[in-house]
Each structure stands twice: as C-alpha cells, then as structure tokens.
C-alpha cells in the first residue's frame, strides 16, 4: 500500500508570491490534515479535511487555505508569502478523523 | 483544549542503556495519545498509540509507553538503546470526538552515545 505522497518535496518562492502544495493520502483514507513545522514554533495544526469538507482549522491567518477533492487528494495554498512562512509542511492521512495519522515526507518551503 | 509537555529538549543515553522520554498532557476530553519519531529531512513515523483498553502500549522498534491517567502522563521507554534510535521524538494528543487535530509537544532530540 502506497504511503502519503507530498509534492513537491522542495520549493523556493519569493515574498509576495503564492504557492500550492499537494498531498495524496493513503488509498481509502478520507481524512487529510496539514501541519506546519518550524524550529521556533514546532509542529502546528493548520487544518483538517474529511470527505471534501473542512472539519476544523488551526490558528493561522486567512492566507492559508486548503481544499480536498472527491478522490481525497488535498491541496493547501498560501497567498502573499512572507519570510516567516518558510517551513516544512506536513500532510497526514487517516481513515477517520482523530485516529492514527500517517505522515508524508513533507514539502520544504523556503521564502526569500 | 489540549496541550502536551515534553520534558527535556535533548536526552543523551549510552548505547544499550534505558531510554526514557517524558510526556505529560492535558485534555478536556478523554485523550488519544501518540508517539512519533522523525529522522532528519523526513516526515513523522508513528511509533505507538493509546486509544482505549490496555494502558501499556507496545510499538515498533522495541518502544513502549504507559498511559497513566492519574499522572496525565504517557512516557516512552525502550530497555536498550541502539544507535539507530537517534532521532527527534514527538508526543501528541487528540481529543476523542474533538476537533482540534493533533497537538504536538515540542519534541525531544534523542542522542545515543557509543
């Protein structure tokens, strides 16, 4: 069974640009969550989607958004990038919300 | 609301020695508890989980953890450390039926001395 796939693995963007990250969950999993990992703040919850609906959202500005498609694949978008958005963005999939989550390798975003 | 405290940002043990990584949590609802490991430039790998039932949970790579409700703790142990155990370890909590996703501790960097 294939694991969680995140693309791309690495990204370099300029301040003010926008970026879209992609996540393909484990086959059969309908819940996808996104996390931001930085050295200063650690792992922080961004949002969770289940069956194409955003189930809950962490404490991030509206520049961070996401969506989930009917095949459970998910994308997250960050608009008007800031230097502080540089981080490892991790996607996790679960069969159901609040059950064990399986993580992808992450996308390393660098904003310059 | 939920939170996780991991005592010790760095823990150093000798190869073959006992590994003990501490985790205390708070949760307004009965928790699900998890330990994850992260190797450099990798995602998180689930080591073990507590949901219901037996409070002593065995995971992969010889790790285990015990849920102690009275102490709100979920410490991770391994009887004998191996060099390959060197990594970052994260304790996480989610509330049953809650809507806050996983809340992670700050992580503990485990160093194995030869």
């Amino acid at each position: 069974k294939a694991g969680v796939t995140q693309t791309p693995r690495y990204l370099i963007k300029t301040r003010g640009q926008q970026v879209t990250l992609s996540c393909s969950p484990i086959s059969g999993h309908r819940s996808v969550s996104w996390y931001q990992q930085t050295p200063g703040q650690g792992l922080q919850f961004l949002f969770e989607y289940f069956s194409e609906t955003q189930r809950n959202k962490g404490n991030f500005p509206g520049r961070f958004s996401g969506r989930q498609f009917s095949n459970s694949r998910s994308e997250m978008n960050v608009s008007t990038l800031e230097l502080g958005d540089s981080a490892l963005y991790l996607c996790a999939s679960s069969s159901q919300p609040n059950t064990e989550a399986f993580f992808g390798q992450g996308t390393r975003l660098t904003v310059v | 609301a939920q939170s996780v405290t991991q005592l010790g940002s760095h823990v150093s043990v000798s190869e073959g020695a006992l590994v003990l990584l501490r985790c205390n949590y708070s949760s307004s609802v009965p928790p699900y508890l998890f330990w994850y490991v992260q190797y450099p430039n990798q995602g998180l790998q689930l080591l073990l989980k507590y949901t219901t039932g037996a409070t002593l949970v065995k995971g992969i790579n010889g790790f285990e953890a015990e849920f102690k409700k009275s102490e709100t703790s979920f410490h991770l142990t391994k009887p004998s450390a191996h060099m390959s155990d060197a990594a970052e370890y994260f304790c996480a909590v989610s509330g049953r039926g809650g809507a806050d996703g996983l809340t992670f501790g700050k992580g503990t960097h485990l160093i194995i001395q030869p």
Side-chain angles (χ1 to χ4, degrees):
Chain A
K1 205 177 210 183
V4 179
T5 303
Q6 290 188 247
T7 56
R9 287 292 311 277
Y10 301 93
L11 265 179
I12 300 176
K13 289 286 188 179
T14 303
R15 264 186 309 174
Q17 287 186 313
Q18 76 165 17
V19 67
T20 299
L21 312 181
S22 180
C23 172
S24 294
I26 291 170
S27 178
H29 284 190
R30 295 161 58 198
S31 175
V32 174
S33 301
W34 289 88
Y35 294 83
Q36 182 196 65
Q37 185 177 25
T38 60
Q41 298 299 316
L43 282 152
Q44 294 185 283
F45 171 71
L46 280 157
F47 27 67
E48 178 183 20
Y49 287 86
F50 180 70
S51 295
E52 301 179 67
T53 301
Q54 187 179 86
R55 192 168 174 270
N56 51 72
K57 190 176 193 302
N59 188 25
F60 278 81
R63 300 186 296 108
F64 292 81
S65 62
R67 58 178 176 169
Q68 187 180 32
F69 302 95
S70 58
N71 62 358
S72 294
R73 189 177 70 85
S74 177
E75 289 180 347
M76 69 163 281
N77 184 276
V78 188
S79 62
T80 320
L81 283 165
E82 301 176 358
L83 295 178
D85 297 333
S86 294
L88 180 66
Y89 289 88
L90 292 163
C91 168
S93 81
S94 307
S95 56
Q96 295 287 330
N98 290 322
T99 58
E100 60 192 282
F102 297 88
F103 284 79
Q105 302 266 53
T107 294
R108 172 77 61 185
L109 173 65
T110 303
V111 182
V112 297
Chain B
Q2 52 206 29
S3 66
V4 176
T5 302
Q6 291 184 241
L7 293 174
S9 59
H10 291 78
V11 169
S12 180
V13 302
S14 299
E15 190 174 18
L18 171 71
V19 174
L20 170 61
L21 304 183
R22 299 177 187 273
C23 171
N24 289 88
Y25 71 91
S26 71
S27 177
S28 55
V29 297
Y32 290 152
L33 294 159
F34 307 87
W35 275 99
Y36 285 88
V37 61
Q38 186 177 35
Y39 298 98
N41 298 315
Q42 299 290 318
L44 277 69
Q45 180 183 11
L46 180 67
L47 277 177
L48 48 78
K49 62 178 180 181
Y50 168 78
T51 53
T52 59
T55 56
L56 182 61
V57 180
K58 294 188 184 302
I60 62 171
N61 301 338
F63 285 95
E64 62 181 39
E66 186 171 11
F67 169 59
K68 292 187 176 180
K69 184 178 178 181
S70 61
E71 298 177 8
T72 61
S73 70
F74 191 56
H75 302 330
L76 181 71
T77 60
K78 181 174 180 177
S80 177
H82 191 273
M83 295 299 291
S84 62
D85 294 327
E88 191 83 14
Y89 291 79
F90 294 93
C91 181
V93 63
S94 73
R96 277 172 223 193
D100 297 327
L102 284 170
T103 299
F104 286 89
K106 293 290 188 185
T108 297
H109 185 61
L110 178 62
I111 301 161
I112 310 296
Q113 304 282 3

